[in-house]
Structure formats: C-alpha cells, structure tokens
Amino acid sequence: MFSVIRRILSYAKSCRKEVVGMLFFALIGTGLSLFVPVLIGKAVDCVAGTHKVDFPALGKVAIVLAATIAVSALFQWLMALCTNRLAANTIRELRCDLFTHLQHVPLSYLDRQTRGDLIGRAVSDMEIISDGFLQAFTQFITGIFTILGTLVFMLTINIPITILVVILTPLSLLVAAKLTQMSRSSYLKSSEARGALGGLTEEMIGSQKVVKAFNYEARAEKRFNEYNLELQRTGARATFFGSLANPSTRFVNALIYAAVGICGALAATGNVPLIGTITVGQLASFLTFANQYTKPFNEISGVVAELQNAVASAKRVFDAIDEPVESDDSHLPMLQNCDGTMELSHVKFSYVPSRPLITDFNLKVRNGQKIAIVGPTGCGKTTLINLLLRFYDVDGGTISVTGQNISKVTRDSLRACYGMVLQETWLFTGTVAENIAYSRPDATREEIEAAAKAAYADGFIRRLPKGYDTVLTEDGSGLSQGQKQLLCIARIMLTDPPFLILDEATSSIDLRTEQRIQKAFEKLMAGKSSFIIAHRLSTIKSADWILVMNHGDIMEQGTHETLMAQQGFYAKLYQSQFADAEAEAAEA
C-alpha cells in the first residue's frame, strides 16, 4: 500500500507551488482555528463569576474571535484550492503516463485485455484515485497540524491530563489499523470486478447490432447481472469493512473525551492534587482541544475506505504502466531505399509455445508482385501480416526487406513502408478530410480530393451535408459500411508505400463498387508489392502468385491456373467457395 502511495506522490513533483501553498495555508489556517478555543476559554472566564461579567473584555474577545474565525476560513479555502489543483495535476500526469505507455506496449498485451477494462483504468479508476487522494491529502495535512497544535496548547493548560489523552489515543489507531487491513483485499476485488463489468458493458454496447441480430439480449442481461452482482457483493463487503473504521474510532475517542471531562471537572473543583487545578474557562478550552485532538483520528479513519479504494484503483493503473514495452530500437538504423522486395526464411511463430502455428515458412517476393494469401480460417493469414509489420516478432527464422533483417531496423521505418486497408473500418471523430488525411496530415485539399476520386468516394462525399468538411463520429454514423470502407481505401491511396496489405479490403462493398475499386487498386498497386488476403474470385484470380496456407504452412503456391490444374487443396477450396456462385450466375 505505502509503495503505491509513494509512487503516486512521485507524480506530484511538478506541482511544487501547489504543495508549498497547501502546506503554508494549512499551517496558518489550522493555527488560527486552534486559537479559537483559547479565545472561547477567555470569554468563559469573563462571565464565570457571579455578578462579575466583564463586558468590555468580553466584547474585545468577541471581536478577536470573529476575526480569527473569518481569516481561518479564508486560509482553509485557499488550502482546499491548492489541494484540488495538486490532485488534478497529479492525475493528469498519471493519465498521460498511462496513455503514452499503452502506445508502446506490445500488441500481444492489448490482445489479452478488453477495451472496456483499459478504458476503465484510464477514466473511472483515475477519478477514484483523484477523489481518494484528494481527501487523504486534506485530512492528513490538516490532521498532522491539528494534532501537533492541540498538544502544544493542552500542555500549556494542564500537563497530566494531556499525558492521559496521549496514552489513550493509540487505542483508536489500533482499531483503525485492524479494520484497514480487513478492507484492503475487499477493495482490490471490488476494483477488479468493476473493470470486468466495464469490459462487458463496452463489448455488449459496441456490438449491439450483433446482439440484436442473434437475439442475445436476454443472455447479455444475464451475464451483465452476474458481473453486476459480483461487483455488488465485493463492493458491499468492502464498504462494510471500510464503514466500520469511522464509528469504531469515534467510539474509542468518545471514551477518551469522557475521561478527560471527568478528570478536568475534578481538577476544576480542586479535588485531585496529582492533576492540579484549572479554571472553568481553561476546562472549556481543554475539552475543545481534546475534541480537536481526537477529531483528525476520526477523519483519517473515515477516509481510509476511500484511500483503500484509491490504492486498489492505482494498483490496476500501475499494473498496466508496469507492463513491458516493446524493446527500444532507437539505436538501430532506419530502413531506407525500400524497393519492395522481401524474403521470409524458415519463419517459426506461435502465440502459445505449446501450440505451434507457423513452423517453417519460406517466401520470396519480387518488386511489383501481387501475392494473394488464401486458406481456411485460422490457417495463419492474419498472423503472417502481423509478423511482416513486426506487431509480433518471429520465434525463429528471419524476415528481410530490401535485404535487411527487419529485426535490425526501427519499427517505425519498417511500418512506414506499408499501406494497409483492413476488413474492419476505423474512423475517428473529425471531418471527412481529416479522416482521409490520417496517413498524411500535411496533405493538401487537392491531394485529399484526388485520393477520394481514385477510391470512388468523391461522389458520396460531396452529397454529404458539408462535403469534405462533414464531421464524422468514431463509428461513422450516417455512412454505410461500404462508404466507410471507401474512406479507408482513400486514406491509403493518399500515401505511396512500397508495400500494400489488403486484408479483406472489399468485403463490405457491393460487387459493382468492387469492380471499380479493383480498377483503382490496379492503378495503386502498379510497381508495388502487395499482399492480398481475400476470398472473392476477382481478387484471387488477378494475383501474380497465390499462397495456399493451412495450419501455418504453405501447402501450395502458384498462379490460379496452375493451382487449379493440380486439383489439390486450393482447387477444393476454390470449388467449395465459388462453384455454387458460378452455377447461380450461369442460371441467371
């Protein structure tokens, strides 16, 4: 726990002004608030005697008391302002660190996590950390100053009773420590349950069309209720133990207050020689100081629950930040003069060591070749693309581009040689022009429009309310799946990379549009090496070379005609996928 707290405090190093201001205002504000009981005691002594009320002295005390309370409130407000700024800036730095770190973790880590859980760590967990540590800062700083200040004032009034208070106070700390230990694991489990619920919610809402299409609503609700019940159960347990701390310490502190009151009353009557004597006004001041002395322990124990919750959330955030990033390759040379040639030699790879996927993959690609990759689901097509881009590193063998081992050059320079159009479209909140220019932010409007025309997207774009300046949401609401795909194709047409990767790039486009897209692709792919993952007849037949994969290995390779003549695995795959379609076309 303390290691997590120290780590969070390390993010506050850039907020020295706020820290100094918080400490200064807390010291002055707390000191003035502690002077209030002294003034109250003097006021009591002014009226303690029978028919001896000192009204002039009482009036002066009242004026000083009002001024002290007003100034103390002002300094406490300034302390709260500094504390809020400190917490906000600290969480901002922590959130930036988390987001930046997630940009550099291996793709394998992101594949293992749900998007909702990661979003929860960056948003809801951060808010919990902010709220918990905001209270902790405020209560801890003011509590320390209050405890030290009241001890000084109590010692000036009566030393024996002060010693009694100090001796009894550890009982409150022991109770709070025990309850804190009991609640720590409960808050950690509650935080994990909250992350799981966030992941499920994001998954179900983001795939609502699929949920409705398969009548999954009832089962989705059942799963949600199970996750929600688990969060309720762990949250209730954590809240139960956390809520015990404050009333338990209040009970102990009430006993201390009662003991002080009894001893003080006896001292005021002069019946306890060992304690000494005090005036009625001093007794009133001492009781107020005793109450203020125990109050920080109550408040700190009360904030323990929030602090435990914040520590649990911080642990989840730091777990993500501590995830190893991709190896630093800044010392490696950049891949230059990429000529579109590639060689894969005895490549081996598996996601799980006990389940080999690609065992001995060999391939040579000449400049300008169109390589089609076909095979059943799970044969390793997309895995091969991940290896080409170094989203994953090979377990054995080498991949060379332009004669250079890709593990010996920077990832950025390697990936700059590729242009990708994937099956899943991705748009962000911004204008149509900004979405197309994602690959080249410095592109001119003329270049953007030219790319859109080449992708046959210019027509529907100009029919949008504001044309290229129409603002799209991240899911491209208002556009068909085919139109969103055309925007992604226009995005890649804006660049001129030596390699192209088309992963089911036309799967969401109707046949008529696909024919026009294929013409645009022919123009785009001229002089470039292309890897095409597709199942449609037109794409496969136009390839220069076809790789037939199964279980991570190349079973067959060649042109469409030669593979069909072999009557092997490809021919069977081709016939199973396209024979029915050709029969229907012939009948039509």
Side-chain angles (χ1 to χ4, degrees), residues 431-433 445 460-471:
T431 66
V432 172
R445 177 57 68 92
F460 83 81
I461 292 175
R462 294 190 181 278
R463 291 193 294 270
L464 295 175
K466 294 184 180 180
Y468 284 87
D469 295 318
T470 301
V471 177

Side-chain angles (χ1 to χ4, degrees), residues 297-371:
F297 296 103
N298 293 335
E299 294 176 342
I300 291 173
S301 64
V303 84
V304 162
E306 292 293 334
L307 187 60
Q308 287 291 324
N309 199 11
V311 168
S313 295
K315 187 177 184 305
R316 281 168 38 81
V317 172
F318 289 134
D319 284 344
I321 292 178
D322 291 337
E323 188 67 25
V325 298
E326 291 182 320
S327 58
D328 182 22
D329 61 0
S330 58
H331 62 285
L332 297 176
M334 298 180 64
L335 179 61
Q336 298 178 346
N337 302 320
C338 184
D339 59 7
T341 62
M342 179 184 297
E343 181 177 359
L344 290 81
S345 178
H346 304 291
V347 170
K348 298 179 182 179
F349 177 78
S350 63
Y351 293 104
V352 181
S354 60
R355 297 173 58 187
L357 179 59
I358 297 178
T359 56
D360 189 19
F361 193 99
N362 297 277
L363 175 68
K364 288 186 178 182
V365 179
R366 299 191 304 274
N367 180 33
Q369 275 193 312
K370 291 184 291 184
I371 310 296

